[in-house]
Amino acid sequence: MKGIENWFALQKIFGEDITLADSMIENSILDAIAGKMSLDIVVSHEVKNPPIKWKEWEKVYLKIDFFCIKEAQSFVNNGPFEIGVFTISEKENRYELNIQGKKNDRIGCMFAVGRIQNIKPLVCNPKTNRYEVNS
C-alpha cells in the first residue's frame, strides 16, 4: 500500500490481496506536537503464511505509525471502530489516509511515511474473554 514503507510484511503473512476492511481499530493515538499518529488494529483476515515462531493464533495484532502528519481528522462514535474502507492515496508528495468506519466513524490525515511497527498473533484467553498476544 502506498506510503507504508514495509507493507510487504503484511502481504507476506496475509497475501497480496490484504485489505484492512472488517478489522477493528482498538486504539488510536494522535501526538500532534510530534506529528505522529499510531493505530492499534486487530485483523481477523485469514493468515496464509504464518511466521515460523507463531504456534497458534485466532486474530492478529497490528500497530501502524504514521509520521509527519498534518490535517488530522477524527470522528469516532462510542463502541468498537470496525473498518469499512481503508485507503491511502498520493497527493502532492504526501499521502492521504482515509479510514471509514461501519458506523459512520472516520479517521484521516495527510502523512509523509507510515511504518508497520508490530505484527503479533492473538488468542482468546477464556478466563478474561479477551484476545491476548500469544508469545
Side-chain angles (χ1 to χ4, degrees), residues 7-23:
W7 186 257
F8 64 87
L10 284 184
Q11 290 176 319
K12 186 174 180 180
I13 293 171
F14 294 104
E16 294 287 323
D17 58 345
I18 177 66
T19 69
L20 295 177
D22 301 322
S23 298

Side-chain angles (χ1 to χ4, degrees), residues 2 6-7 13 16 22 25 44 56-57 69 81 89 93 100 102 109 127-129:
K2 291 181 181 182
N6 59 344
W7 186 257
I13 293 171
E16 294 287 323
D22 301 322
I25 296 178
S44 52
E56 68 175 312
W57 63 90
I69 64 164
F81 186 123
S89 55
N93 298 328
Q100 297 291 327
K102 292 191 174 182
C109 70
K127 293 178 183 177
T128 61
N129 200 29

Side-chain angles (χ1 to χ4, degrees), residues 73-92:
Q73 304 163 352
S74 177
F75 175 75
V76 180
N77 291 317
N78 290 335
F81 186 123
E82 186 175 2
I83 298 172
V85 178
F86 184 104
T87 59
I88 296 176
S89 55
E90 194 168 354
K91 290 197 174 180
E92 302 172 10

Side-chain angles (χ1 to χ4, degrees), residues 5-129:
E5 63 184 9
N6 59 344
W7 186 257
F8 64 87
L10 284 184
Q11 290 176 319
K12 186 174 180 180
I13 293 171
F14 294 104
E16 294 287 323
D17 58 345
I18 177 66
T19 69
L20 295 177
D22 301 322
S23 298
M24 302 293 288
I25 296 178
E26 294 290 320
N27 193 25
S28 63
I29 300 171
L30 172 62
D31 185 346
I33 293 172
K36 177 181 164 187
M37 181 172 65
S38 297
L39 297 176
D40 294 328
I41 301 172
V42 175
V43 182
S44 52
H45 293 286
E46 176 189 0
V47 172
K48 294 179 180 174
N49 300 303
I52 294 171
K53 63 183 177 180
W54 288 12
K55 302 298 181 223
E56 68 175 312
W57 63 90
E58 295 170 33
K59 297 185 183 230
V60 177
Y61 165 78
L62 168 64
K63 180 177 183 152
I64 304 177
D65 286 341
F66 299 92
F67 300 96
C68 301
I69 64 164
K70 293 184 178 183
E71 302 173 25
Q73 304 163 352
S74 177
F75 175 75
V76 180
N77 291 317
N78 290 335
F81 186 123
E82 186 175 2
I83 298 172
V85 178
F86 184 104
T87 59
I88 296 176
S89 55
E90 194 168 354
K91 290 197 174 180
E92 302 172 10
N93 298 328
R94 294 184 74 78
Y95 298 97
E96 181 177 34
L97 171 68
N98 184 22
I99 304 171
Q100 297 291 327
K102 292 191 174 182
K103 294 181 181 178
N104 294 322
D105 301 26
R106 183 179 184 284
I107 295 174
C109 70
M110 298 293 290
F111 68 97
V113 66
R115 180 149 184 82
I116 296 168
Q117 301 291 12
N118 285 312
I119 304 173
K120 297 183 178 185
L122 297 173
V123 293
C124 188
N125 181 338
K127 293 178 183 177
T128 61
N129 200 29

